[in-house]
Amino acid sequence: MSSFNRRFVFCLALLPAAFAARHVRAQAQAPAPVLLFKVVSPRDDIVVGIEAAQLGAGAAPPVQRLAAMLAEKGQLMLWQYASHKDASGALVQAPLKQIVIFKNELLRIEPYATPLAIRPPGAAKP
């Protein structure tokens, strides 16, 4: 058997183990989901996050449920999010600080999509 054939067979043998390890790692990185929103005001715009459990379940879209919570309570304490590098050097969306959002007619809330991993507020700092 040539050296190329041996390497090819060896790689094929390791392929299922690599897929299994990737699947386990993905499950371990799936903490409580955090939903991100962009809050736009005449002055500035920021990205905030709220845990899905705090937002509650419902048929309405998450942005609508957040707006209803803000209208009902008048103010909400949320986490401001920003992109940071984690301990491994990968970019993640991480909580920066807690802020209070006040109900205001000039305020606009939009869903915020990111390709980065979202770190929950309780996660250890890098």
Side-chain angles (χ1 to χ4, degrees), residues 102-114:
F102 294 97
K103 178 181 164 186
N104 183 337
E105 279 72 31
L106 299 176
L107 197 67
R108 185 175 79 230
I109 301 173
E110 304 171 350
Y112 183 79
T114 179

Side-chain angles (χ1 to χ4, degrees), residues 1-18:
M1 189 183 246
S2 74
S3 106
F4 175 76
N5 287 342
R6 277 184 269 160
R7 277 191 241 138
F8 181 72
V9 170
F10 181 72
C11 289
L12 282 179
L14 289 179
L15 198 57

Side-chain angles (χ1 to χ4, degrees), residues 15-67:
L15 198 57
F19 283 124
R22 184 176 178 183
H23 180 69
V24 168
R25 186 177 46 205
Q27 285 180 340
Q29 292 178 351
V34 174
L35 302 173
L36 297 181
F37 300 93
K38 181 185 259 189
V39 177
V40 181
S41 72
R43 185 174 164 196
D44 62 354
D45 58 321
I46 59 171
V47 176
V48 297
I50 185 170
E51 293 184 30
Q54 288 179 300
L55 197 55
V63 69
Q64 189 174 351
R65 293 193 315 256
L66 181 63

